[in-house]
Amino acid sequence: MTIRLVPLGAGQDVGRSCIVITIGGKNIMFDCGMHMGFNDERRFPDFRYISKTAEFTEVLDAIIISHFHLDHCGALPYFTEMCGYDGPIFMTHPTKAICPILLEDYRKIAVDKKGDTKFFTSDMIKQCMKKVTPISLHQTIQVDADMEIKAYYAGHVLGAAMFYVKVGDESVVYTGDYNMTPDRHLGSAWIDKVRPDVLITESTYGTTIRDSKRSRERDFLKKVHDCVLGGGKVLIPVFALGRAQELCILIDAYWERMGLKVPIYFSAGLTERATQYYKLFINWTNQKIKSTFVERNMFEFKHIEPWDRQYISNTGPMVLFATPGMLHQGTSLEVFKKWAPDPKNMVVMPGFCVAGTIGHQVLQGRKVVDIDRFTKVQVNLQVSNLSFSAHADAKGIMQLIRHCEPRNVVLVHGERQAMEFLKSKIVTEFGIRCYNPPNGVTIAIPTSHSMSAKISSSYLKMSHFKLRL
């Protein structure tokens, strides 16, 4: 028996996650994301690999979305409403609640501000979400007579899930993005010892073993404090839900402890809605948040106020959390252009930046960055890269493999060199096959299973007698 797999995105790449597998005669798509580094047709997966005649509903048996980040769900309305897929779609309850808000925010920027004409509409987002079946943690859904799926806690962001899929005797686990280390508001990823035929795992930080979280937090707070003491402004590009809440909890407590009066702002209107989501899905947070939520809501911040665009030219120090996290558009890019020429200022990049984004150029150390064909910006401000990214590092990935005991591993959502390093480590340590296919390349993974057979005791006795003769 064979499981086939082709990445339409996230094959030796980060962004546009979309993995299509064939297992037990069923075709399943894991994630349907967009690439933040492109503004043309390359931002969406090339769905012609599935069907050249656009018969997607007939070919695909299900789509499973791991979490609400746009590089994992951003192409879904395009695929359902513009390409015509009308089959089953599964995601967790928090993902279904938050997805449409992030999709609409992105649509506003692409269409209303940039004038993109080949993009989905607000109504398409609503119609797409109506087709989604939500799934609870540890709930097993029988999709049809042969296929069942089960969701497990992935950490990473609110509602993120790893999915176990079983078709007949074959099985696969798709991790999406996950974090094996608990943080200030989410727990660590967890899954049963399911021993799948194939484990498809992200490998974003496949060569990294992070230092202690406490030392990173101390470093972050010291750099921010030193910058504002020197009269500088600190820009922290974040995505509206996830690391934003983690860092806001950290800096709000520090400001309170130190008695600081320097203003802190958050650019996204999602901060108010974020609090509602965390209240609604409190069971997805960690134990400390759950136990203290009745007395004190950790997401109502004392020192953090909503951002107003007119503050951009204010004199004096300030701290701004601005979306999105890769500086590719929106408020974070607008403020970066204004603050970048001043060496007193600082940008703190707390997460991964996809190649092609302004954030990636900044992290590469470029002193002049190209915003677009007509705009260049001189980068004189201080650049600090402190990884608060909620992805598993190399140690965490190996920990999951050790616990899960798969027969084969497929690496996705990572850069090729990091994958090659991790691949050799997995093969050496576990003695199992490991693959890292590029986008558009199909791999065939052989699976073998023992078969049970009933034999009568009288037949066994007869066979034993004949052997003795």
Side-chain angles (χ1 to χ4, degrees):
M1 299 172 81
T2 303
I3 293 174
R4 295 187 180 277
L5 180 150
V6 58
L8 303 188
Q12 299 183 7
D13 185 22
V14 177
R16 196 178 47 201
S17 284
C18 185
I19 314 297
V20 178
I21 69 159
T22 302
I23 174 172
K26 305 287 182 183
N27 295 314
I28 302 158
M29 179 187 286
F30 290 113
D31 283 337
C32 190
M34 66 165 61
H35 200 296
M36 298 303 181
F38 299 116
N39 288 317
D40 53 25
E41 67 279 354
R42 291 173 296 171
R43 69 180 151 213
F44 295 137
D46 188 349
F47 297 118
R48 289 173 299 178
Y49 278 95
I50 302 169
S51 171
K52 287 185 168 55
T53 54
E55 295 172 334
F56 302 118
T57 307
E58 290 75 20
V59 174
L60 281 178
D61 293 280
I63 295 176
I64 296 171
I65 302 294
S66 62
H67 64 288
F68 59 66
H69 279 155
L70 293 177
D71 61 324
H72 292 260
C73 72
L76 190 61
Y78 172 79
F79 189 51
T80 61
E81 306 312 303
M82 297 174 80
C83 297
Y85 174 75
D86 196 30
I89 305 167
F90 300 95
M91 60 182 73
T92 66
H93 290 272
T95 303
K96 185 178 180 181
I98 297 165
C99 250
I101 286 106
L102 299 187
L103 286 165
E104 176 59 21
D105 280 0
Y106 191 86
R107 186 206 65 79
K108 280 178 185 170
I109 292 166
V111 178
D112 299 350
K113 290 189 179 176
K114 293 186 177 177
D116 198 323
T117 54
K118 296 179 180 177
F119 215 79
F120 45 78
T121 64
S122 295
D123 189 58
M124 285 178 184
I125 296 170
K126 289 172 190 163
Q127 293 307 314
C128 171
M129 287 299 126
K130 286 178 184 176
K131 295 169 183 172
V132 172
T133 301
I135 182 170
S136 300
L137 272 182
H138 308 302
Q139 177 189 3
T140 299
I141 286 185
Q142 197 73 38
V143 180
D144 57 29
D146 303 308
M147 177 166 61
E148 62 180 48
I149 64 173
K150 187 173 183 178
Y152 289 95
Y153 191 80
H156 188 62
V157 292
L158 190 71
M162 299 189 279
F163 284 89
Y164 171 72
V165 178
K166 191 167 188 287
V167 181
D169 290 327
E170 295 179 301
S171 62
V172 63
V173 167
Y174 176 71
T175 66
D177 293 349
Y178 63 102
N179 192 2
M180 296 298 285
T181 309
D183 57 30
R184 287 174 180 269
H185 74 296
L186 296 173
S188 57
W190 185 87
I191 190 169
D192 288 319
K193 196 181 280 288
V194 289
R195 299 185 177 92
D197 290 297
V198 179
L199 171 69
I200 307 166
T201 175
E202 68 141 316
S203 52
T204 319
Y205 289 94
T207 57
T208 305
I209 295 178
R210 292 199 194 95
D211 52 5
S212 86
K213 190 159 70 74
R214 284 193 182 275
S215 69
R216 266 179 288 139
E217 289 177 347
R218 279 196 302 270
D219 196 14
F220 167 75
L221 293 169
K222 184 178 187 307
K223 284 183 173 175
V224 171
H225 195 171
D226 288 351
C227 183
V228 296
L229 278 180
K233 297 173 173 64
V234 181
L235 171 63
I236 307 167
V238 289
F239 289 103
L241 283 151
R243 292 312 85 198
Q245 280 67 40
E246 185 76 5
L247 294 175
C248 283
I249 290 170
L250 179 64
I251 205 166
D252 195 64
Y254 182 77
W255 247 237
E256 179 71 11
R257 195 163 66 246
M258 302 299 289
L260 298 176
K261 302 299 180 191
V262 174
I264 308 172
Y265 300 108
F266 197 113
S267 74
L270 268 175
T271 41
E272 297 79 19
R273 273 186 285 186
T275 305
Q276 294 168 9
Y277 292 133
Y278 281 103
K279 279 181 182 175
L280 184 60
F281 302 113
I282 189 72
N283 60 314
W284 286 80
T285 61
N286 65 22
Q287 197 52 49
K288 185 180 178 183
I289 297 282
K290 289 180 207 172
S291 58
T292 59
F293 202 79
V294 177
E295 298 93 41
R296 179 173 174 258
N297 178 0
M298 296 272 284
F299 303 106
E300 286 174 357
F301 305 113
K302 255 189 186 181
H303 300 274
I304 300 173
E305 303 165 32
W307 169 256
D308 189 305
R309 281 185 72 185
Q310 68 187 27
Y311 299 162
I312 196 168
S313 299
N314 281 9
T315 56
M318 67 178 76
V319 178
L320 170 64
F321 289 92
T323 59
M326 298 186 195
L327 289 176
H328 55 285
Q329 60 188 23
T331 304
S332 63
L333 180 56
E334 181 188 9
V335 173
F336 175 78
K337 287 190 285 186
K338 181 78 175 175
W339 292 0
D342 189 338
K344 286 206 308 288
N345 298 336
M346 175 186 281
V347 61
V348 179
M349 304 297 294
F352 188 88
C353 288
V354 169
T357 59
I358 306 300
H360 187 263
Q361 291 184 51
V362 171
L363 289 177
Q364 295 292 305
R366 293 198 192 172
K367 288 300 174 187
V368 178
V369 297
D370 301 312
I371 304 296
D372 52 42
R373 284 183 298 167
F374 313 104
T375 315
K376 292 181 187 295
V377 170
Q378 188 73 36
V379 181
N380 297 327
L381 84 177
Q382 306 159 62
V383 177
S384 182
N385 181 18
L386 294 169
S387 176
F388 285 94
S389 184
H391 292 269
D393 63 2
K395 188 178 173 184
I397 295 166
M398 297 298 277
Q399 184 185 339
L400 180 72
I401 295 169
R402 191 173 293 109
H403 173 75
C404 211
E405 294 185 7
R407 295 180 181 88
N408 302 273
V409 172
V410 177
L411 302 177
V412 297
H413 200 285
E415 292 169 337
R416 189 179 65 81
Q417 284 182 313
M419 285 181 169
E420 292 294 345
F421 172 83
L422 188 60
K423 180 179 177 179
S424 63
K425 204 167 180 227
I426 291 165
V427 171
T428 303
E429 188 160 331
F430 299 109
I432 58 178
R433 287 172 300 212
C434 185
Y435 307 82
N436 60 325
N439 290 331
V441 173
T442 302
I443 57 169
I445 305 169
T447 62
S448 57
H449 292 271
S450 57
M451 294 180 66
S452 58
K454 290 182 180 178
I455 303 174
S456 69
S457 56
S458 58
Y459 178 79
L460 280 173
K461 285 176 185 174
M462 183 73 72
S463 300
H464 180 65
F465 176 73
K466 285 180 180 175
L467 282 170
R468 288 182 66 187
L469 289 176

